[in-house]
Amino acid sequence: MTKKLYIKTYGCQMNVYDSERMAEAMGGEGYVTTSTPDDADMILLNTCHIREKAAEKVYSELGRYKTLKAENPDLKIGVAGCVAQAEGAEIMRRQPMVDLVVGPQSYHRLPALEAKARAGQKALDTDFPEEDKFEHLKARPKAKRGPSAFLTVQEGCDKFCAFCVVPYTRGAEVSRPADRIVTEARDLVARGVREITLLGQNVNAYHGHEGGLAGLIYALSDIDDLARIRFTTSHPNDMDEALIAAHGDCEKLMPYLHLPVQAGSDRILKRMNRQHTRDDYFRIIDRLRAVRPDLHLSGDFIVGFPEETDADFEDTLDLIERVQYGSAFSFKYSTRPGTPAAERDQVSEAVKDERLQRLQALLTRQQRALQDAMVGRDVAVLFEKPGRMPGQMVGKSEYLHAVHVEAEGVSAGDLRRVRIVESGPNSLKGALI
Ligand code: SAH
Ligand code: SF4
Ligand code: F3S
């Protein structure tokens, strides 16, 4: 009999990819996914530990399943992802209705853990096993899928930024072998995928190909029906010469780069253990723009890192003014137990709030300006799905802008030239050329 699996995913794109793979692994055990927890036989939360709020969400979500569990004692509840890795058995102590806890490096063992939970035992696995989980996961199904896909190529982080839990939850940097990735990419393309975003916590530290990430990108660009390649997230110190050059040379590599810098003050960068200065960051961007002048940049910023002064914060605003971002994510510093910065002098919540507002106002202005500057330009749009209006389709430009187009006869997966005619609050409007 088929059973129903409800997966809720938090956090980064790597969790999105992992959730897909976990659903597929449970597919082999007779589970089909369902979009609501109400009729599920198993609920799996794939969690994020990056900020306090993200981690706490897990417990409030679990609280909502109390009645479901009371009505259906056969319902199994699992916690996967980075909270699972960070808190392990503590999750079951805090919330006894949890049957199963599985870390991001051991989810190939999920079917065995589920069987253990079905047998009435608590199941826990937060190992960093020797074996490569991807080698132990079943072959991916052959079903058709949408035009864009994520593909994890690298996991873990050796950088140990002073604020960040990722090196502890995801472990050391590991790269998947290039031939396996190319095989998985070919398979995705055969199923209708035209754009692949390569994922890694430090994707540009990828070393599963002798030419590094650039080598992998060139190898993937040989796949005929693959039209677009993207990658995320990168660390400035791993932007090597070959990868910078690929932005000018590889046609399939899109002119959009997420390159987080976190802060613009050298003093804070040092305290964050970022291992680079603001000038290093500017130099990388200059080199990228020299080979690809139309490159759009995106970034991540943390405001209110311990000991951040007004002058430090002004340096961050100044860095943003110089770079001109196409989009960005920004966060108030969140104290993470066990990380070095947690022990230092904290900035008050009120100051963090005020800084975040100023920073976001500036980033929004830049984002809007770059988006408005697209009007009158011709872009390539990879169509993804129907829009809200009849006959309308929505897709993404090279620069990751959402573009709405009256596109009778165009299907998801089509790549067409479009002239941008209007810029709205969050998206562009265009006409087929
Ligand atoms: N590996 C990536 C992203 C890691 S997490 C990188 O190095 O860029 C995504 C973002 O969350 C980070 O870039 C950072 O801006 C933010 N972040 C990480 N830890 C944080 C913390 N303790 N408080 C607030 N934001 C944090
Ligand atoms: Fe976290 Fe820094 Fe590693 Fe990114 S590079 S995952 S911010 S420790
Ligand atoms: Fe969150 Fe883990 Fe990703 S902490 S951001 S889900 S690597």
Side-chain angles (χ1 to χ4, degrees):
M1 206 187 75
T2 56
K3 288 173 279 186
K4 289 187 180 151
L5 171 65
Y6 172 74
I7 302 193
K8 187 162 177 145
T9 307
Y10 301 85
C12 60
Q13 292 105 323
M14 304 205 47
N15 266 10
V16 175
Y17 177 84
D18 290 343
S19 288
E20 266 179 42
R21 300 295 308 246
M22 287 193 278
E24 290 169 8
M26 294 314 287
E29 309 300 310
Y31 276 92
V32 291
T33 52
T34 170
S35 55
T36 147
D38 300 339
D39 63 346
D41 298 285
M42 182 174 173
I43 294 174
L44 193 60
L45 302 182
N46 194 10
T47 61
C48 175
H49 200 243
I50 203 82
R51 284 168 288 276
E52 193 180 352
K53 268 207 188 106
E56 282 307 315
K57 265 188 205 155
V58 178
Y59 290 100
S60 56
E61 187 68 21
L62 285 170
R64 294 171 50 186
Y65 300 146
K66 266 209 181 98
T67 27
L68 286 178
K69 185 90 174 174
E71 286 163 7
N72 175 12
D74 287 340
L75 168 66
K76 296 297 166 202
I77 296 182
V79 176
C82 290
V83 175
Q85 191 62 48
E87 298 188 4
E90 179 59 28
I91 298 174
M92 291 162 170
R93 270 194 288 277
R94 214 174 132 181
Q95 193 46 274
M97 72 173 158
V98 172
D99 302 288
L100 180 163
V101 171
V102 62
Q105 295 312 334
S106 37
Y107 67 71
H108 54 298
R109 299 174 179 164
L110 186 58
L113 293 166
E114 188 263 356
K116 193 172 170 191
R118 287 260 158 244
Q121 287 171 280
K122 295 277 180 198
L124 168 82
D125 193 336
T126 51
D127 286 353
F128 288 107
E130 281 291 310
E131 77 264 16
D132 172 2
K133 67 170 175 267
F134 297 108
E135 291 306 296
H136 286 76
L137 287 165
K138 289 203 182 67
R140 307 197 67 179
K142 299 286 171 214
K144 272 267 167 241
R145 47 180 301 159
S148 286
F150 292 136
L151 206 179
T152 293
V153 305
Q154 181 278 343
E155 292 192 277
C157 179
D158 298 340
K159 306 284 190 294
F160 291 93
C161 299
F163 49 81
C164 183
V165 294
V166 171
Y168 312 97
T169 63
R170 294 277 175 161
E173 288 178 6
V174 193
S175 297
R176 295 177 67 190
D179 56 340
R180 308 287 156 74
I181 293 164
V182 172
T183 304
E184 191 171 330
R186 281 192 190 282
D187 195 55
L188 287 168
V189 170
R191 291 163 61 195
V193 168
R194 307 220 53 208
E195 171 180 87
I196 292 181
T197 303
L198 306 174
L199 301 181
Q201 268 92 22
N202 265 283
V203 72
N204 57 342
Y206 177 79
H207 56 262
H209 187 285
E210 58 190 11
L213 185 64
L216 177 66
I217 289 169
Y218 284 111
L220 291 169
S221 70
D222 286 341
I223 302 174
D224 283 340
D225 290 332
L226 178 61
R228 293 179 161 185
I229 302 169
R230 304 179 184 277
F231 63 89
T232 197
T233 299
S234 299
H235 191 285
N237 288 358
D238 292 315
M239 282 313 293
D240 63 26
E241 204 53 60
L243 188 56
I244 291 174
H247 285 84
D249 297 337
C250 181
E251 259 180 52
K252 292 186 180 181
L253 182 59
M254 291 296 100
Y256 178 99
L257 177 65
H258 184 61
L259 192 63
V261 64
Q262 315 296 354
S265 140
D266 278 338
R267 199 178 71 87
I268 293 296
L269 286 171
K270 197 163 185 152
R271 300 291 286 149
M272 286 179 162
N273 190 32
R274 289 289 293 181
Q275 312 269 357
H276 62 77
T277 63
R278 59 188 265 131
D279 278 344
D280 294 333
Y281 187 73
F282 290 140
R283 270 193 294 273
I284 293 162
I285 288 171
D286 287 347
R287 282 155 66 206
L288 282 159
R289 284 185 168 149
V291 297
R292 189 76 208 224
D294 64 336
L295 186 76
H296 279 208
L297 281 151
S298 108
D300 290 345
F301 296 92
I302 295 178
V303 299
F305 185 75
E307 301 159 19
E308 184 185 71
T309 63
D310 285 340
D312 292 322
F313 177 64
E314 292 301 328
D315 283 348
T316 301
L317 296 179
D318 176 73
L319 177 142
I320 294 170
E321 289 283 8
R322 286 221 217 164
V323 173
Q324 300 286 325
Y325 287 91
S327 71
F329 301 93
S330 46
F331 315 97
K332 285 189 280 182
Y333 168 73
S334 170
T335 312
R336 306 312 288 131
T339 58
E343 310 299 323
R344 303 186 193 151
D345 286 347
Q346 304 293 316
V347 171
S348 78
E349 214 41 41
V351 170
K352 284 188 204 170
D353 279 332
E354 195 251 341
R355 287 183 187 162
L356 187 67
Q357 274 187 27
R358 281 182 66 196
L359 183 113
Q360 288 189 335
L362 172 61
L363 287 166
T364 306
R365 274 201 302 280
Q366 290 191 349
Q367 183 169 346
R368 192 60 213 244
L370 267 170
Q371 195 191 296
D372 291 351
M374 298 308 294
V375 175
R377 285 184 54 183
D378 296 348
V379 296
V381 174
L382 177 59
F383 287 98
E384 287 174 353
K385 56 181 186 213
R388 262 175 259 116
M389 306 295 189
Q392 197 184 52
M393 289 289 289
V394 190
K396 295 271 164 59
S397 77
E398 302 88 322
Y399 309 102
L400 224 47
H401 288 127
V403 186
H404 294 256
V405 184
E406 303 297 328
E408 216 68 67
V410 168
S411 319
D414 289 354
L415 188 64
R416 299 282 294 271
R417 299 294 302 170
V418 166
R419 176 148 311 150
I420 302 301
V421 293
E422 202 181 306
S423 172
N426 295 307
S427 64
L428 295 165
K429 221 178 189 174
L432 291 177
I433 298 174

